[in-house]
Amino acid sequence: MRDFALEKFFSQWEFQAKYHMTASDAQSLSIGELLSLAGKTMEDLTNVHLSYTETWGAPSLRQAIANTYDNLNADNILCFAGAEEGVYTAMRVLLQKDDHAIVVVPNYQAAETLPIEICEVSGVALDADSNWRLDLDDIRKAIRSNTKLISVCFPNNPTGSIIPPDDYAELISICREHGIYLFSDEVYRLLELDESKRIDQAADVYEKALSLNVMSKAYGLPGLRIGWIASQDKDVLTKLEQYKHYLSICNSASSEYLAEVGLSVREQLLQKTLSLMTKNISMLDAFFDDYSELFEWQHPDGSCIAFPRFTGRGGVESFCKNLLEESGVLLLPASIYRSELMDAPTDRFRIGFGRANMEAGLLALRNYMEENRSALQA
Ligand SMILES: Cc1ncc(COP(=O)(O)O)c(C=O)c1O
């Protein structure tokens, strides 16, 4: 299989760089902090039996997850080891070599690479010049007689853009008209900067949708590795469950317990993430304001990542490389988001703002900018 560029880059740098300023998850909690937030004790955790669990996920966890949807029950939920196993399994099960898939670009690389490994894939651009708008005519034009699946991600990784609700409803009508599955990656949902931009969860409103979600992002619990796919289509879920027998088989019992604990205090976890994001984004506003000749900055609609443009001399790749080597500040340059399907932006970088290290990281970034400002000016 093709390399997963982002994970390969992270394998080298994520735990090496002094200032990880490009994380896509929110600030995590320790097990102790999570338990005490939920009024649980260490003893509660130590009583969890480390047996195999059900492949579908513990019934009580599936019910707690189903409660986060408007129209679904526990039997509409299949748990996975993180969202990533869900993406992999869904693509392997839904797509065969004679099928065709449509994927938005730019995107989280797995969304594009996994289908490409299986069948023909068309990319449809989110347009940088119109606030990352998805042109539904492009989707219509890309549809073929064998199009099996459209894969979207809103809030999008890396741009943070969200499709407007009317366009989303239209996208679902297009899928329905052609009998196409909609794979909707919703891992950044609930992190909208303006709540009125929040869109429905696809599985609530479309009978052939698969909604992907996880404890990693909005809830700040990536180390649990608990993700899930929600769908009204129980036949598809059953096929995914059977494929999972060849992967993780089942989730970790202690993680399932802690995910349920996390969901019992989901409002508190979300508020914690959102207030940190609000504080951090105002620091980013001040930074980008001070260096406005070198960056084009725009708030994402949602998520705790953004994709600003670097307009300085030498381009974004060397900016990110030099910054990392000289100051230990880790950002993700545009090349990580290269697409095989079409041109993707080449002058942007991903910055994260869901973690508690913003002040220290921005200080290091500011120091670097002060030392290099005139050299970077085009
Ligand atoms: C859009 C998107 N989908 C899926 C995933 C995978 O999530 P996890 O690492 O929790 O499996 C990520 C992780 O960064 C992501 O950004």
Side-chain angles (χ1 to χ4, degrees):
M1 287 204 31
R2 293 154 170 83
D3 283 342
F4 195 148
L6 184 150
E7 291 302 337
K8 195 172 168 189
F9 186 73
F10 269 176
S11 309
Q12 188 179 359
W13 292 111
E14 185 174 7
F15 298 101
Q16 293 286 328
K18 197 158 174 206
Y19 306 101
H20 186 353
M21 292 288 280
T22 188
S24 65
D25 52 356
Q27 184 64 32
S28 59
L29 285 79
S30 68
I31 293 175
E33 285 167 335
L34 177 61
L35 290 172
S36 86
L37 187 68
K40 301 278 184 194
T41 62
M42 248 333 163
E43 206 188 334
D44 293 323
L45 178 63
T46 54
N47 286 334
V48 174
H49 209 78
L50 291 176
S51 51
Y52 281 112
T53 63
E54 295 181 34
T55 302
W56 285 91
S60 53
L61 173 62
R62 292 169 71 205
Q63 185 56 55
I65 294 169
N67 293 344
T68 67
Y69 293 82
D70 291 335
N71 302 317
L72 303 182
N73 302 313
D75 55 2
N76 298 117
I77 308 297
L78 171 59
C79 295
F80 286 102
E84 189 59 36
E85 189 186 44
V87 184
Y88 182 85
T89 307
M91 297 307 137
R92 287 284 171 199
V93 167
L94 289 176
L95 296 173
Q96 311 299 322
K97 73 174 179 7
D98 293 333
D99 292 328
H100 171 247
I102 299 173
V103 178
V104 295
V105 175
N107 210 328
Y108 181 62
Q109 191 193 322
E112 167 177 314
T113 299
L114 289 169
I116 286 178
E117 292 281 344
I118 302 167
C119 65
E120 285 197 39
V121 184
S122 303
V124 172
L126 299 177
D127 180 8
D129 297 325
S130 61
N131 195 23
W132 305 109
R133 190 169 159 265
L134 174 64
D135 187 336
L136 293 176
D137 280 337
D138 291 345
I139 294 272
R140 283 193 191 87
K141 281 183 214 144
I143 290 176
R144 302 180 192 169
S145 57
N146 61 342
T147 303
K148 184 88 176 285
L149 173 132
I150 297 178
S151 171
V152 297
C153 172
F154 298 115
N156 173 256
N157 180 351
T159 66
S161 66
I162 304 177
I163 188 171
D166 287 352
D167 285 4
Y168 199 42
E170 199 177 327
L171 175 65
I172 288 171
S173 316
I174 295 171
C175 289
R176 186 173 278 128
E177 185 189 330
H178 294 270
I180 295 172
Y181 286 104
L182 179 63
F183 185 84
S184 175
D185 183 330
E186 298 164 0
V187 303
Y188 297 107
R189 193 170 177 277
L190 303 177
L191 296 185
E192 298 79 10
L193 299 187
D194 169 359
E195 216 179 286
S196 70
K197 293 194 172 166
R198 183 171 301 161
I199 52 174
D200 287 332
Q201 300 183 96
D204 268 331
V205 292
Y206 178 41
E207 57 286 357
K208 288 190 81 168
L210 284 79
S211 282
L212 178 77
N213 220 318
V214 75
M215 297 304 293
S216 305
K217 310 296 180 183
Y219 304 116
L221 299 170
L224 293 181
R225 311 307 300 134
I226 296 285
W228 60 89
I229 285 179
S231 182
Q232 295 175 31
D233 190 331
K234 293 182 194 165
D235 290 342
V236 163
L237 285 182
T238 302
K239 287 187 185 130
L240 300 184
E241 189 253 358
Q242 284 164 19
Y243 199 99
K244 187 183 164 188
H245 295 157
Y246 287 104
L247 300 173
S248 60
I249 300 178
C250 68
N251 293 96
S252 132
S254 49
S255 284
E256 288 199 332
Y257 172 75
L258 290 169
E260 214 177 313
V261 170
L263 288 172
S264 76
V265 286
R266 64 192 287 258
E267 288 305 327
Q268 290 97 308
L269 292 177
L270 276 175
Q271 281 322 311
K272 221 165 102 1
T273 301
L274 288 168
S275 62
L276 191 53
M277 281 169 53
T278 308
K279 187 170 143 229
N280 285 343
I281 207 164
S282 67
M283 283 192 253
L284 286 180
D285 286 343
F287 170 81
F288 286 117
D289 204 37
D290 288 346
Y291 298 96
S292 57
E293 80 281 16
L294 292 173
F295 301 99
E296 277 174 30
W297 166 240
Q298 169 194 349
H299 281 190
D301 295 327
S303 82
C304 51
I305 48 177
F307 207 40
R309 178 178 269 144
F310 175 72
T311 55
R313 184 185 295 170
V316 77
E317 300 298 323
S318 74
F319 169 67
C320 290
K321 182 171 181 290
N322 295 338
L323 177 68
L324 179 60
E325 286 172 2
E326 291 170 36
S327 300
V329 174
L330 180 65
L331 298 171
L332 278 182
S335 56
I336 296 293
Y337 282 91
R338 198 184 70 79
S339 168
E340 282 185 49
L341 302 170
M342 63 199 313
D343 288 342
T346 54
D347 52 1
R348 292 177 178 266
F349 60 95
R350 186 179 97 178
I351 191 160
F353 58 96
R355 291 222 184 151
N357 65 344
M358 180 57 84
E359 212 160 332
L362 261 191
L363 184 61
L365 182 53
R366 277 182 180 279
N367 288 339
Y368 178 84
M369 297 307 295
E370 283 312 304
E371 277 167 32
N372 295 280
R373 190 170 201 156
S374 52
L376 289 171
Q377 279 163 348

